[in-house]
Amino acid sequence: MSPSNLPPSHKSSIRTKVWAELRKVALPDSRFHHDYSSFIADFIGSSHATDLLTSLPCYESARTIFIAPDNCIQELRYRALLDGKIVLVTTYGIRRGFWVLDPDVIPREKWEMASLLDGMERLGRHVTLAEIKREIGRIDLMVTGTGAINLQGLRFGKGHGFFDLEWAMLCEIGVAGEGTRTVAVVHECQVLDEELRGEEWDTGCDFVVTSERVIGVEGASKPRRGILWDRLEEGMLEDIESLRELRSLKGRSWSE
């Protein structure tokens, strides 16, 4: 997110401070190494955070879960398959859209491979937004990693807003909304005691889960609108196929 009440110099200093602490506990990525400005890192203790998340009633009752393609929640994608849940995930940067991982379709011995970004496209199934609406119908829970988050559930990330876009697209087709809970998984060093003011497109989180605790957020901010077409970053429409699909479907009835 890009809190409108923070000057660029302060936003930069927060990122620098968080990434300096994160470097002590984060696990490098094979593509981006230690460049934590380019990806959402896994971290020491993420497995315990996953244990805490899977004990939440909103997880236990969920049938279909959207889980972002972040390193720190790879184990959660695997655990969700073990628990018999359908997992919806996007490719990195949403560039190749949405993929569904169904434990009733993927052989059990391949569930862990399917939970990896390198495996999901080989073992999962690409789905359009129209197919998500028709075949899945409802997303019960959405989980993301993030660069940092405050105690009010407002994320302070790399600035691209991919989770906000995913929320907006799924809301616009009617499969996410008021009943969909949102969760961020982070290390303790990523939890900020900062007063932030979100933008109209920022998707707040109902729960912040670390390896040490679960923070419940009352009245987390959730956009009630779909895509703000005039506020997209330059190049997003060209790069993200799901946005192009949504634009082509805009104005049509989803019951068609």
Side-chain angles (χ1 to χ4, degrees):
M1 62 172 290
S2 300
S4 58
N5 60 327
L6 295 180
S9 60
H10 187 42
K11 289 188 284 187
S12 179
S13 68
I14 289 175
R15 290 190 178 101
T16 300
K17 177 183 177 181
V18 169
W19 289 333
E21 292 301 309
L22 187 61
R23 191 181 182 93
K24 300 174 185 178
V25 296
L27 304 179
D29 181 85
S30 60
R31 301 158 298 170
F32 302 112
H33 312 292
H34 291 286
D35 180 9
Y36 301 123
S37 65
S38 297
F39 74 106
I40 302 298
D42 195 5
F43 53 83
I44 296 170
S46 64
S47 183
H48 191 211
T50 299
D51 289 339
L52 292 177
L53 193 157
T54 57
S55 70
L56 291 173
C58 61
Y59 172 86
E60 294 176 345
S61 64
R63 176 180 177 272
T64 301
I65 304 176
F66 172 86
I67 305 177
D70 298 325
N71 292 19
C72 61
I73 44 181
Q74 178 269 320
E75 183 178 341
L76 177 65
R77 293 191 291 270
Y78 178 44
R79 290 276 295 274
L81 293 174
L82 288 173
D83 290 335
K85 301 179 187 300
I86 295 172
V87 174
L88 187 67
V89 65
T90 54
T91 57
Y92 187 79
I94 329 179
R95 291 200 173 195
R96 294 185 303 282
F98 291 82
W99 293 73
V100 64
L101 309 177
D102 188 338
D104 289 336
V105 175
I106 301 170
R108 183 182 181 90
E109 65 272 15
K110 296 184 178 180
W111 287 351
E112 187 168 14
M113 175 60 71
S115 71
L116 302 173
L117 298 188
D118 291 337
M120 71 180 194
E121 291 185 66
R122 285 184 284 171
L123 296 166
R125 179 171 61 92
H126 180 268
V127 284
T128 65
L129 292 171
E131 289 170 333
I132 293 172
K133 171 67 174 179
R134 183 171 63 248
E135 298 173 13
I136 294 178
R138 186 182 71 185
I139 307 297
D140 304 303
L141 182 66
M142 293 182 65
V143 184
T144 186
T146 189
I149 193 167
N150 74 353
L151 297 175
Q152 289 73 49
L154 286 176
R155 296 169 297 107
F156 187 90
K158 303 192 303 296
H160 298 301
F162 291 129
F163 188 66
D164 300 321
L165 278 178
E166 290 152 351
W167 170 271
M169 286 189 282
L170 295 173
C171 281
E172 192 147 322
I173 66 172
V175 300
E178 186 176 347
T180 305
R181 301 277 73 84
T182 49
V183 183
V185 175
V186 293
H187 189 272
E188 274 290 325
C189 72
Q190 295 172 281
V191 181
L192 305 175
D193 186 16
E194 294 273 349
E195 290 293 331
L196 307 176
R197 187 179 69 230
E199 303 284 4
E200 58 183 318
W201 57 79
D202 285 323
T203 305
C205 290
D206 299 298
F207 297 95
V208 180
V209 181
T210 76
S211 60
E212 300 178 18
R213 56 178 171 161
V214 173
I215 302 167
V217 177
E218 291 291 334
S221 174
K222 302 283 184 62
R224 297 187 179 275
R225 298 176 60 183
I227 298 295
L228 302 176
W229 297 97
D230 61 336
R231 305 299 294 274
L232 291 176
E233 285 186 14
E234 184 177 356
M236 274 189 166
L237 189 59
E238 292 75 19
D239 288 342
I240 300 175
E241 64 177 43
S242 298
L243 281 175
R244 297 195 299 274
E245 179 198 358
L246 187 61
R247 189 176 70 168
S248 71
L249 292 169
K250 192 171 176 60
R252 292 175 52 185
S253 169
W254 284 104
S255 63
E256 292 178 4

